[in-house]
C-alpha cells in the first residue's frame, strides 16, 4: 500500500523531473518492480485508473533514465487499452517518446499528422486548434529552433492558457537565455500571481533581478544614465525584498539566505544602511546554522560554503 | 408445528434459480451497456478555455496582487487587465446577437446533449426492469417459491408476499414477485464481486439521477464587465512592505 501511495504522490506532484540521478534511478527500479508485479497479477488492489497512472509515471521515469525499451513497453500497454488515434494524451506521450529517442522533426511530424487525423475523425468535430494538449507539445518540440521563434510560439500559447505556469516558466527561461531579464521578471511575476506562495519562484525572481542589476550597472556609462539609475534603485529594493520574502516563507531555504547575503554585501550595494548591515549579519548567521545542522539538501549545502566565503564581510 | 404447505421441489429448479440467474445476468449486461452508453470525454474548445482562464487570471490578480513589490507594477497590470476584459477580445462569441434575451436552454446544443445522456442512462436502467417484471408476472404470477428458515413479524408480509392475496399465510413464505424485488435491491454486493471494482462503482452511480448541466449560462460579456469593474476598485498592498523589519523582528535583531 505504501509503495503505491508514494508512487501516486510522485505522479501527482511531478518531483521526478528535478530529482538527482541516483535518486531517480532508485525510484525507477522501485516503480519498475511495482508495475511488473501489477501487470503479472491484476487484482483489486489497484484500480484501473491508478494502474495507468503508474504506467505513465513509469514511462516518464524510463525516458529520464534512458531505458528506451522499458518506455516503449509502457507505451504499448497504454496503446493496447486506449485508442492511439483519438487520445490526445497518448499522442502527446508518443511524441515525447519520439522526441527523446529519434528527434524533434519526427515528433513534430507525428503531432501534425495526429492533429489532422483527429480532426477528420467522427468523434472529435473540431479543428486541430482545439487540441490544446497536442498544441502545447507541438510548441515544446521547437525548443531547438531559433529562440525568437520559440518565444513567439510560447507567447501565443500563453495567451490561450494564461494559467499554465509551466509555459510561463519556460518563457522566463528563454528570456534569461536571451538576456532579456526585465521580460523574464515579468513572466515570473505572472507565475507568482497564480501561485503566490511559491518561495522557490520568488527566489528565482530575485536571482533574475540580481542579474538585471548587473546588466543595468554595465549600462550606467552609456546614455540615459539618469533613468537607468532610477530603475537600478527600484530593482535593488525589489530584489532584496523578494529574497527576504522567500526566506520568510521558508526559513531554512539556503538559496534564499544566500541571496540575502549577496544582495546586502558590499559588492552589490556599495552604500549600505544599518538595516542592510544587520540583514547581512543575520544571513551569515543563518547560513552557518543551516550548514552546521544540515537543514537543507546536500546539493544546496555544497554551494553554501563558496557563497559564504565570497560575500562574507 | 409442522409446515402446512408442501412445496414442489421442481419449483426450486424451474422458478427460484431461473429468476436469480436472470437477475444476475441482466445486471451484468446492464452495467456493460451503461459503460457503452457513457458519453465520450469531450475536448474543450480553445476559445472556451481562453475565456475561462483569462477571467480566472483577472480574479487571481485581484486576490494575489500582494506578491508585487511596487505600486507601479500593480497599476501597469491593472490597466492592462482592465483593457483586456472590457474590450472583449477574449470573449468566446465576439458579437452578441441579442443582449437582453436569455438564451433558450433547449436550443443550446450542449444542454440538449446533457439531457439526452441522462435519458440514455435512465433508459438502460428502467427498460430491463420493466421487461423482467413483466416476464415474472406473466409466467410465475402467484407462485410461492420458498420458505425462509426463520420467523418474521407480520410487517414483512407486504414485502415478501406481493402478488398473492392470502391474509392468513405465514410470513415466512416468499412469492416470486417478492423474490424479484429482493434480488433487484440486494445483488449490489454480488455485482461488485463479479465485476471489477470500477465497473461496480458505475452500477451505483447510474442508479442516482444523472446530474444535469445548468441551463442558460450567464452572459459572459456582462461577467467580464463586472470583473473589470471590481478590478478597477482593487486596492494594492504589497506583502513585501516593511519585510526587512519583519524578518529582523522575527530573529530578535
Amino acid at each position: 500500500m505504501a509503495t503505491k501511495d508514494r508512487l501516486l504522490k510522485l505522479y501527482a506532484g511531478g518531483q521526478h523531473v528535478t530529482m538527482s540521478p541516483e535518486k531517480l534511478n532508485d525510484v525507477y527500479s522501485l516503480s519498475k518492480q511495482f508495475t511488473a508485479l501489477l501487470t503479472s497479477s491484476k487484482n483489486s488492489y489497484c484500480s484501473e485508473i491508478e494502474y495507468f497512472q503508474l504506467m505513465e509515471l513509469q514511462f516518464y521515469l524510463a525516458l529520464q533514465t534512458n531505458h528506451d525499451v522499458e518506455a516503449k513497453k509502457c507505451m504499448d500497454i497504454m496503446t493496447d487499452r486506449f485508442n492511439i488515434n483519438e487520445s490526445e494524451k497518448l499522442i502527446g506521450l508518443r511524441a515525447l517518446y519520439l522526441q527523446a529517442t529519434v528527434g524533434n522533426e519526427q515528433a513534430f511530424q507525428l503531432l501534425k499528422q495526429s492533429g489532422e487525423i483527429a480532426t477528420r475523425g467522427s468523434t472529435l468535430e473540431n479543428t486541430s486548434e482545439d487540441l490544446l494538449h497536442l498544441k502545447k507539445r507541438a510548441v515544446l518540440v521547437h525548443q531547438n529552433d531559433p529562440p525568437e521563434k520559440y518565444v513567439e510560439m510560447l507567447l501565443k500559447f500563453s495567451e490561450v492558457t494564461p494559467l499554465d505556469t509551466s509555459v510561463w516558466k519556460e518563457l522566463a527561461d528563454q528570456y534569461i537565455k536571451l538576456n532579456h531579464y526585465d521580460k523574464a521578471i515579468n513572466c515570473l511575476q505572472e507565475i507568482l500571481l497564480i501561485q503566490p506562495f511559491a518561495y522557490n519562484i520568488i527566489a528565482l525572481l530575485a536571482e533574475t533581478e540580481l542579474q538585471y542589476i548587473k546588466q543595468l550597472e554595465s549600462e550606467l556609462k552609456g546614455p540615459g544614465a539618469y533613468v537607468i539609475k532610477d530603475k537600478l534603485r527600484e530593482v535593488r529594493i525589489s530584489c532584496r525584498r523578494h529574497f527576504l520574502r522567500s526566506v520568510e516563507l521558508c526559513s531554512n531555504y539556503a538559496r534564499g539566505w544566500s541571496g540575502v547575503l549577496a544582495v546586502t554585501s558590499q559588492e552589490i550595494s556599495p552604500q549600505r544602511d544599518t538595516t542592510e548591515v544587520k540583514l547581512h549579519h543575520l544571513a551569515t548567521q543563518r547560513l552557518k546554522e543551516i550548514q552546521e545542522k544540515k537543514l537543507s539538501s546536500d546539493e544546496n549545502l555544497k554551494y553554501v560554503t563558496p557563497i559564504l566565503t565570497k560575500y562574507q564581510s | 408445528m409442522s409446515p402446512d404447505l408442501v412445496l414442489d421441489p421442481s419449483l426450486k429448479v424451474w422458478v427460484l434459480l431461473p429468476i436469480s440467474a436472470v437477475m444476475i445476468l441482466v445486471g451484468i449486461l446492464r452495467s456493460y451497456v451503461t459503460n457503452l452508453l457513457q458519453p465520450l470525454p469531450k475536448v474543450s474548445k480553445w476559445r472556451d478555455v481562453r475565456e475561462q482562464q483569462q477571467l480566472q487570471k483577472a480574479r487571481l490578480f485581484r486576490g494575489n496582487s500582494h506578491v508585487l513589490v511596487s505600486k507601479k507594477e500593480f497599476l501597469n497590470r491593472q490597466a492592462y487587465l482592465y483593457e483586456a476584459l472590457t474590450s472583449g477580445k477574449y470573449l468566446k462569441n465576439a458579437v452578441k446577437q441579442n443582449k437582453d434575451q436569455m438564451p433558450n436552454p433547449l436550443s443550446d446544443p450542449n444542454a440538449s446533449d446533457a439531457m439526452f445522456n441522462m435519458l440514455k442512462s435512465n433508459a438502460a436502467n428502467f427498460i430491463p426492469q420493466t421487461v423482467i417484471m413483466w416476464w415474472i408476472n406473466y409466467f410465475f404470477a402467484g407462485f410461492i417459491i420458498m420458505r425462509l428458515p426463520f420467523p418474521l413479524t407480520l410487517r414483512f408480509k407486504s414485502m415478501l408476499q406481493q402478488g398473492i392475496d392470502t391474509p392468513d399465510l405465514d410470513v415466512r413464505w416468499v412469492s416470486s414477485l417478492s423474490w424479484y424485488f429482493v434480488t433487484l435491491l440486494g445483488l449490489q454486493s454480488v455485482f461488485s464481486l463479479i465485476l471489477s471494482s470500477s465497473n461496480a462503482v458505475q452500477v451505483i452511480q447510474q442508479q442516482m439521477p444523472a446530474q444535469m448541466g445548468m441551463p442558460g449560462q450567464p452572459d459572459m460579456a456582462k461577467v467580464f464587465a463586472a470583473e473589470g469593474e471590481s478590478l478597477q476598485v482593487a486596492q494594492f498592498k504589497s506583502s513585501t512592505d516593511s519585510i526587512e523589519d519583519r524578518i529582523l523582528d522575527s530573529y530578535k535583531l
Side-chain angles (χ1 to χ4, degrees):
Chain A
M1 202 67 191
T3 317
K4 187 181 91 176
D5 287 345
R6 239 182 81 195
L7 288 175
L8 283 175
K9 224 178 199 170
L10 188 69
Y11 171 81
Q15 288 96 338
H16 56 89
V17 185
T18 50
M19 267 181 190
S20 63
E22 304 92 51
K23 217 172 165 194
L24 197 64
N25 222 15
D26 288 352
V27 177
Y28 167 72
S29 51
L30 176 77
S31 158
K32 188 177 174 182
Q33 277 175 14
F34 193 67
T35 43
L37 195 76
L38 283 178
T39 317
S40 62
S41 63
K42 275 257 177 85
N43 48 22
S44 58
Y45 173 71
C46 173
S47 79
E48 209 174 5
I49 294 173
E50 284 171 337
Y51 175 69
F52 282 103
Q53 281 177 341
L54 290 176
M55 236 350 129
E56 198 188 331
L57 176 71
Q58 169 71 358
F59 172 77
Y60 291 139
L61 290 172
L63 273 191
Q64 271 186 289
T65 48
N66 265 340
H67 291 88
D68 293 349
V69 181
E70 178 70 21
K72 182 85 178 74
K73 202 180 100 196
C74 298
M75 189 78 230
D76 288 343
I77 290 176
M78 287 187 274
T79 325
D80 286 346
R81 178 70 180 79
F82 303 103
N83 184 353
I84 177 87
N85 288 327
E86 283 184 9
S87 162
E88 241 194 304
K89 180 149 196 168
L90 217 50
I91 298 170
L93 289 183
R94 202 174 168 74
L96 186 68
Y97 175 74
L98 282 180
Q99 200 183 355
T101 52
V102 192
N104 282 335
E105 196 44 45
Q106 282 81 352
F108 186 64
Q109 285 305 325
L110 173 90
L111 288 170
K112 227 171 116 190
Q113 272 173 20
S114 310
E116 281 161 15
I117 291 172
T119 323
R120 239 181 290 140
S122 54
T123 47
L124 295 170
E125 298 147 351
N126 42 36
T127 59
S128 52
E129 287 280 291
D130 286 338
L131 303 170
L132 283 176
H133 194 90
L134 274 190
K135 215 179 147 205
K136 183 173 168 187
R137 179 115 323 276
V139 169
L140 291 181
V141 164
H142 282 273
Q143 266 164 355
N144 295 337
D145 276 12
E148 289 81 9
K149 197 180 150 204
Y150 183 46
V151 164
E152 199 180 311
M153 289 171 83
L154 281 173
L155 275 176
K156 263 189 202 155
F157 190 75
S158 76
E159 197 178 357
V160 178
T161 59
L163 298 186
D164 193 335
T165 43
S166 59
V167 174
W168 286 116
K169 177 72 172 57
E170 185 73 21
L171 253 178
D173 286 349
Q174 290 305 316
Y175 278 135
I176 290 173
K177 253 190 221 162
L178 292 171
N179 289 346
H180 289 310
Y181 295 115
D182 47 342
K183 288 180 181 164
I185 289 168
N186 223 10
C187 294
L188 291 170
Q189 279 173 345
E190 214 52 70
I191 300 178
L192 282 186
L193 286 170
I194 299 164
Q195 297 282 343
F197 300 112
Y199 59 85
N200 52 345
I201 296 292
I202 298 180
L204 186 66
L205 174 60
E207 278 165 27
T208 315
E209 279 168 334
L210 205 58
Q211 296 292 325
Y212 190 38
I213 289 173
K214 284 180 185 158
Q215 194 185 33
L216 285 176
E217 275 174 347
S218 68
E219 285 170 16
L220 259 180
K221 288 164 192 91
Y226 187 71
V227 184
I228 292 175
K229 231 176 199 169
D230 227 31
K231 182 86 198 155
L232 198 58
R233 194 174 48 82
E234 264 172 40
V235 180
R236 270 209 183 108
I237 293 174
S238 155
C239 176
R240 190 178 67 208
R241 288 190 171 170
H242 276 132
F243 273 128
L244 286 171
R245 178 74 179 153
S246 79
V247 296
E248 186 183 39
L249 291 172
C250 175
S251 56
N252 288 337
Y253 196 43
R255 219 168 142 166
W257 281 117
S258 309
V260 176
L261 186 78
V263 83
T264 53
S265 67
Q266 200 84 50
E267 291 167 40
I268 292 182
S269 60
Q271 298 120 14
R272 295 194 292 179
D273 53 21
T274 45
T275 327
E276 277 178 311
V277 174
K278 267 188 196 167
L279 284 171
H280 191 77
H281 186 68
L282 174 66
T284 319
Q285 205 181 317
R286 283 293 298 160
L287 275 175
K288 276 181 182 159
E289 199 180 329
I290 289 170
Q291 205 175 23
E292 269 164 28
K293 294 184 184 166
K294 287 201 168 35
L295 296 171
S296 187
S297 68
D298 289 340
E299 296 152 64
N300 285 341
L301 285 176
K302 257 195 319 213
Y303 295 104
V304 170
T305 328
I307 288 172
L308 265 175
T309 44
K310 187 175 174 193
Y311 290 109
Q312 210 170 1
S313 48
Chain B
M1 193 181 89
S2 62
D4 44 357
L5 283 173
V6 179
L7 286 186
D8 188 342
S10 50
L11 271 178
K12 186 172 73 188
V13 183
W14 294 103
V15 183
L16 183 70
L17 290 181
I19 290 179
S20 319
V22 164
M23 287 302 292
I24 292 175
L25 289 179
V26 167
I28 293 171
L29 191 69
R30 193 179 58 190
S31 87
Y32 282 119
V33 168
T34 358
N35 251 353
L36 285 179
L37 287 181
Q38 290 261 306
L40 283 168
K42 268 194 175 169
V43 176
S44 45
K45 303 249 189 300
W46 70 275
R47 278 176 194 282
D48 294 11
V49 174
R50 190 179 67 175
E51 187 185 72
Q52 285 303 324
Q53 293 215 356
Q54 291 287 353
L55 185 67
Q56 186 63 24
K57 184 184 166 187
R59 283 185 185 148
L60 281 172
F61 173 76
R62 264 196 300 141
N64 297 337
S65 63
H66 62 81
V67 296
L68 301 175
V69 171
S70 72
K71 182 136 191 179
K72 206 168 86 186
E73 285 167 351
F74 172 78
L75 290 177
N76 275 343
R77 276 167 195 276
Q78 190 187 32
Y80 166 75
L81 279 173
Y82 179 73
E83 170 65 22
L85 284 177
T86 45
S87 67
K89 71 170 170 176
Y90 293 129
L91 279 180
K92 183 169 50 181
N93 319 309
V95 192
K96 270 271 52 88
Q97 61 282 41
N98 196 342
K99 278 198 168 173
D100 300 323
Q101 202 182 337
M102 273 288 278
N104 184 358
L106 291 176
S107 66
D108 186 5
N110 291 327
S112 65
D113 240 29
M115 269 187 265
F116 187 58
N117 283 331
M118 195 174 75
L119 194 72
K120 272 199 297 194
S121 67
N122 271 355
N125 214 0
F126 69 75
I127 288 178
Q129 279 177 25
T130 331
V131 171
I132 298 174
M133 201 156 155
W134 169 84
W135 170 67
I136 289 173
N137 256 333
Y138 189 81
F139 285 99
F140 314 121
F143 277 43
I144 286 176
I145 55 171
M146 65 187 284
R147 179 173 174 272
L148 295 177
F150 45 84
L152 285 165
T153 57
L154 263 182
R155 292 219 167 247
F156 286 91
K157 202 171 174 71
S158 59
M159 189 176 111
L160 294 178
Q161 293 181 356
Q162 279 198 1
I164 43 174
D165 300 323
T166 45
D168 295 336
L169 190 65
D170 188 5
V171 188
R172 291 157 81 177
W173 298 99
V174 180
S175 75
S176 57
L177 198 58
S178 298
W179 180 242
Y180 160 73
F181 281 117
V182 168
T183 46
L184 178 70
L185 301 173
L187 277 180
Q188 207 51 256
S189 48
V190 179
F191 290 144
S192 64
L193 267 184
I194 298 172
L195 304 166
S196 66
S197 53
S198 58
N199 285 343
V201 170
Q202 277 169 356
V203 173
I204 298 166
Q205 265 178 0
Q206 54 129 12
Q207 291 191 340
M208 292 175 211
Q211 287 254 319
M212 209 175 121
M214 281 274 282
Q217 286 196 329
D219 185 358
M220 284 314 275
K222 279 180 194 156
V223 176
F224 267 61
E227 185 55 41
E229 268 170 36
S230 31
L231 192 67
Q232 252 194 333
V233 296
Q235 294 292 317
F236 176 63
K237 190 167 186 336
S238 174
S239 60
T240 57
D241 282 346
S242 71
I243 188 163
E244 290 89 353
D245 301 336
R246 270 207 321 265
I247 291 274
L248 288 176
D249 278 353
S250 67
Y251 288 99
K252 304 264 181 318
L253 278 172

